[in-house]
Amino acid sequence: MQRKNLTARQQTISLNVSGNLMEVNVPALTGERGGSCVAAAFLVYKNLELILDQSLDGAEENETGSRDGRLQLNTKVVTAVVQRPSTPNANLHVIFTFRHLETNKVLLNVTCVYWESKLPGWSPEGCELMGFNATHTRCNCTHLSSFAVLMALRVRHNGP
């Protein structure tokens, strides 16, 4: 966990934990006039993805014991917390850069998600995929919660 106390003079809060990054725009938290103190915390859970991954539909292994091509979590689960003055969330955008757990597979159906306790389950509402490569995924979310990245992974085959 990383925590910082910042003032509105700073434009962006950036917190990095274990290769995962959270960035949030300070003026969106403090309003147009600023001058308020903002506290932010970014938590990266050690093994929560192993527990929550089991809640996915079709997350079970196939008959060969492989999960190849099935939707699964390929990042740590993170939680974003910001204590701020009462301001509307209309301009809140939290940018997450997630480090992938598996980097030697082909990535398919990459989706930024948050944990919706009412379901309970993963939901993409309010989160947008900004881009990804073999090692990281970048997401833009308009609310605070617990987040991760779902994707289907396929074994990378070399040659024709």
Side-chain angles (χ1 to χ4, degrees):
M1 179 178 91
Q2 187 176 17
R3 180 186 165 129
K4 289 185 181 179
N5 291 315
L6 305 166
T7 65
R9 285 187 287 279
Q10 294 173 290
Q11 291 298 305
T12 304
I13 297 171
S14 294
L15 301 174
N16 189 328
V17 179
S18 303
N20 298 283
L21 177 68
M22 176 182 88
E23 301 167 89
V24 65
N25 183 289
V26 174
L29 299 174
T30 60
E32 293 295 320
R33 297 195 292 166
S36 301
C37 184
V38 175
F42 183 47
L43 292 82
V44 177
Y45 298 97
K46 187 172 182 179
N47 292 312
L48 192 56
E49 75 281 358
L50 300 175
I51 298 166
L52 295 180
D53 198 32
Q54 299 305 312
S55 68
L56 299 171
D57 290 337
E60 66 280 348
E61 296 175 348
N62 62 25
E63 59 278 354
T64 64
S66 170
R67 292 191 51 205
D68 192 39
R70 297 190 186 244
L71 204 58
Q72 60 189 291
L73 294 175
N74 192 31
T75 65
K76 293 290 186 186
V77 176
V78 304
T79 295
V81 179
V82 177
Q83 181 181 354
R84 63 186 186 275
S86 297
T87 57
N89 284 346
N91 296 323
L92 180 63
H93 289 275
V94 184
I95 308 295
F96 295 100
T97 303
F98 293 92
R99 184 177 55 84
H100 296 166
L101 299 174
E102 292 191 52
T103 58
N104 61 341
K105 295 187 176 180
V106 176
L107 311 176
L108 304 168
N109 302 328
V110 178
T111 307
C112 301
V113 293
Y114 80 100
W115 185 256
E116 173 55 76
S117 59
K118 293 177 186 172
L119 293 176
W122 294 106
S123 171
E125 291 296 316
C127 292
E128 174 186 1
L129 176 66
M130 296 177 71
F132 66 93
N133 60 28
T135 61
H136 291 82
T137 295
R138 199 160 160 83
C139 303
N140 179 2
C141 299
T142 57
H143 54 85
L144 300 171
S145 184
S146 294
F147 302 89
V149 178
L150 289 172
M151 58 185 73
L153 303 172
R154 288 238 165 92
V155 175
R156 186 179 308 272
H157 297 287
N158 294 330

